């Protein structure tokens, strides 16, 4: 994930330095940020998991910083609803990822994924 963070940071607002990277980000990187921590085998209390959540926070923050309203719209209206994430969690997440620093996002993501996992509507098998 650290390499993704670097590549996202290098790729300016549009296609920029890495043609096709925006599409790759939406199809592969964003899903990995959500699907991995939603798996039952991902122990949210493990030290390595907390480090991973830090990397995920950095990647999400970079994507939101680079793509802005476009990625917010995509997450709010397409991707997160496809996971059956409740609208109130979506709104809270989008606010936090836009306004919080990575060090604040890390524990927030742990709580978010724990809460979402316990939701009966969670779809983590995608």
């Amino acid at each position: 994930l650290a390499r993704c963070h670097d590549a996202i940071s290098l790729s300016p607002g549009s296609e920029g330095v890495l043609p096709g990277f925006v599409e790759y980000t939406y199809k592969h990187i964003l899903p990995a940020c959500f699907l991995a921590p939603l798996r039952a085998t991902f122990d949210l209390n493990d030290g390595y998991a907390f480090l991973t959540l830090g990397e995920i926070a950095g990647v999400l923050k970079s994507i939101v910083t680079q793509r802005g309203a476009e990625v917010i719209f995509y997450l709010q209206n397409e991707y997160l609803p496809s996971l059956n994430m409740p609208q109130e969690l979506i709104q809270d997440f989008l606010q936090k990822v836009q306004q919080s620093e990575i060090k604040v996002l890390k524990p927030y993501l742990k709580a978010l994924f724990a809460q979402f996992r316990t939701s009966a509507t969670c779809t983590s098998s995608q």
Side-chain angles (χ1 to χ4, degrees):
L1 286 175
R3 298 257 183 211
C4 292
H5 180 344
D6 294 342
I8 292 163
S9 297
L10 291 174
S11 185
S14 63
E15 285 296 315
V17 185
L18 303 168
F21 191 71
V22 172
E23 181 180 351
Y24 183 82
T25 298
Y26 282 69
K27 287 186 176 184
H28 301 286
I29 297 173
L30 278 174
C33 289
F34 291 93
L35 296 179
L38 289 175
R39 292 179 188 235
T41 56
F42 190 94
D43 181 0
L44 290 168
N45 295 313
D46 180 68
Y48 289 113
F50 198 66
L51 291 173
T52 302
L53 289 174
E55 292 296 327
I56 289 170
V59 168
L60 289 171
K61 189 72 175 171
S62 293
I63 294 170
V64 168
T65 299
Q66 290 295 320
R67 305 304 306 167
E70 174 191 282
V71 75
I72 296 299
F73 182 86
Y74 173 75
L75 289 168
Q76 182 175 19
N77 296 298
E78 293 181 43
Y79 186 70
L80 296 177
S82 77
L83 297 177
N84 295 320
M85 183 179 276
Q87 200 55 233
E88 58 274 4
L89 283 181
I90 293 172
Q91 294 305 317
D92 187 53
F93 165 74
L94 293 175
Q95 179 183 14
K96 290 279 191 299
V97 78
Q98 291 176 86
Q99 298 175 356
S100 300
E101 295 180 21
I102 293 171
K103 65 181 180 181
V104 174
L105 279 177
K106 232 161 83 164
Y108 169 77
L109 288 175
K110 179 181 176 182
L112 174 77
F113 290 128
Q115 182 179 0
F116 188 40
R117 276 185 184 182
T118 61
S119 167
T121 61
C122 175
T123 304
S124 62
S125 61
Q126 292 186 1

